[in-house]
Each structure stands twice: as structure tokens, then as C-alpha cells.
Amino acid sequence: SLLDERTAWATAAERRFSFLAEANALLSASTDYGTVLTTAARLTVPAIADWCFVDVVEETEGSVSRFAIAHSDPEHEALARALKSRYRLDPSRAHGTARVYRTGTPELIPELDEAVLEDIATGDPEHLEALHRADPGSYICVPLRVGGHALGAMGLISARRYGEEDVALAEGVAHCAALALNNARHHTSEVELVRELVRRASEGQRVISLPRKQA
């Protein structure tokens, strides 16, 4: 009935508001750049995603650093951390961080197919295999901005089907993270902030190889 639909909508809206209020409180409590982005990724799993990553773009070097990763499965998280920790930014990519960074608008793919997965994996067979193992159903990628400057993007992958309301929620988390970063950076410029995050991401890289299938 119409009343049931409106009640369900109001209940869902209240849950989203409560989630963002809690996220804002947790993120604003930290003044450390790395902690803010890591917390932002952790907050989404498993609440609204099975897998979340935060990419930071260094324009001068033309590179993308995967700064934070969270996964509902510890084994998959370890594999995800080893894949694409740093790669060249290809602005022509049709999906993912490159597209969101280029356009400044969020991306929603309600149902992932093989072509999209291959584009997200940027030609890396191990990355593609990891995506297949995660059995993703839907994908969201939203821009991350600090002080009007595009810092990078936050991506969410889930087995369930995402919709526009999920995009709004992801944008809300990214906005809360951006506000926390903006408060934490004090007199640091946006460019210096990006370079600091890229440096930390590089120092935190770990090499983990996917197990090979036996012949």
C-alpha cells in the first residue's frame, strides 16, 4: 500500500541520516589525513559495500595511488591491497576513478558486466581475477574533493544492486571525509596534501601474489 511504501521510505531515510551523522562524527574526530581516509573506507564495509577503495590522484606525475582499501572478506582485502597500489592515470578510461576524476560526477553501474570489469582492471589479469573472485554485482564511484580541489575518488562494490539512493549515501560519506580533511590540513595546500597521501600510500605498499592455479 501507499502508506507502507512511505513508511519504508521514511525508515530507510532515517537510517541513512543516522549513518551519515555517525560517519561525520567519527571522521571529524581525527586530524590525521591517513586516518580520515582509512576510516571512510572502513565505515562503508559492510554497511553499504562489500569492498571499498579510496584513490588519490597526483596530477603532476600522472599517477593514481590506492590509498585505502576495506573488504568484508579478509583474504580478499589482502589481495585487493596488492593490486594496483599505484598505476598510471589514463583519462580516457570509460569507468572508475579516471572517469569520475575527469568529469567530477559520480558513476553508478547497477549491474557489472565483463566489459566494465575489464575496463576497471585496466588490463591487469590479476586485478581482473580478484574482481571475479569478489563476485561484484553493482559499482559506485564518487569524487573526493578538498577545498574545491579534486583529490581523487571513492569506489564501492557490492553483491547487491545499487540505486540512486546508494549513490547519494556514498557522496555523503565522501563529503564528510572531505570536510574532515579540510579541517585537518590547516595551512597545507591541496597539492601538498595530495603529495603527502601519495607518499604514505607508497610507503605502505605490500607485495602479495594471487595463488596460481595448478595445471
Side-chain angles (χ1 to χ4, degrees), residues 126-185:
E126 288 191 333
H127 194 181
L128 182 59
E129 185 177 348
L131 288 173
H132 282 150
R133 287 187 177 196
D135 192 24
S138 279
Y139 175 71
I140 294 173
C141 194
V142 295
L144 184 63
R145 301 185 185 89
V146 176
H149 178 83
L151 176 71
M154 175 181 288
L156 293 83
I157 298 173
S158 177
R160 70 179 180 86
R161 187 182 181 89
Y162 278 137
E164 293 295 339
E165 291 180 348
D166 297 298
V167 175
L169 193 56
E171 287 186 291
V173 175
H175 181 64
C176 290
L179 288 176
L181 287 172
N182 195 50
N183 292 333
R185 68 187 177 92

Side-chain angles (χ1 to χ4, degrees), residues 13-151:
E14 184 177 359
R15 285 199 300 266
R16 290 193 296 272
F17 178 81
S18 298
F19 176 78
L20 286 177
E22 181 181 358
N24 186 60
L26 289 172
L27 292 169
S28 61
S30 177
T31 57
D32 178 76
Y33 307 142
T35 300
V36 168
L37 292 185
T38 301
T39 301
R42 292 286 180 194
L43 281 170
T44 66
V45 178
I48 57 176
D50 298 321
W51 182 354
C52 178
F53 63 82
V54 178
D55 284 348
V56 176
V57 177
E58 170 59 271
E59 281 188 325
T60 57
E61 296 183 7
S63 66
V64 179
S65 293
R66 185 138 295 175
F67 187 86
I69 293 173
H71 201 296
S72 57
D73 186 317
E75 180 183 354
H76 286 162
E77 180 171 327
L79 294 171
R81 287 183 181 280
L83 299 171
K84 292 296 180 187
S85 54
R86 190 167 188 177
Y87 57 96
R88 298 296 297 175
L89 175 65
D90 183 354
S92 66
R93 287 284 175 185
H95 303 288
T97 296
R99 177 189 181 282
V100 170
Y101 188 79
R102 179 180 70 247
T103 64
T105 59
E107 178 182 25
L108 166 64
I109 305 177
E111 189 171 345
L112 288 165
D113 57 27
E114 186 64 21
V116 174
L117 290 177
E118 290 179 355
D119 190 82
I120 293 175
T122 61
D124 185 331
E126 288 191 333
H127 194 181
L128 182 59
E129 185 177 348
L131 288 173
H132 282 150
R133 287 187 177 196
D135 192 24
S138 279
Y139 175 71
I140 294 173
C141 194
V142 295
L144 184 63
R145 301 185 185 89
V146 176
H149 178 83
L151 176 71

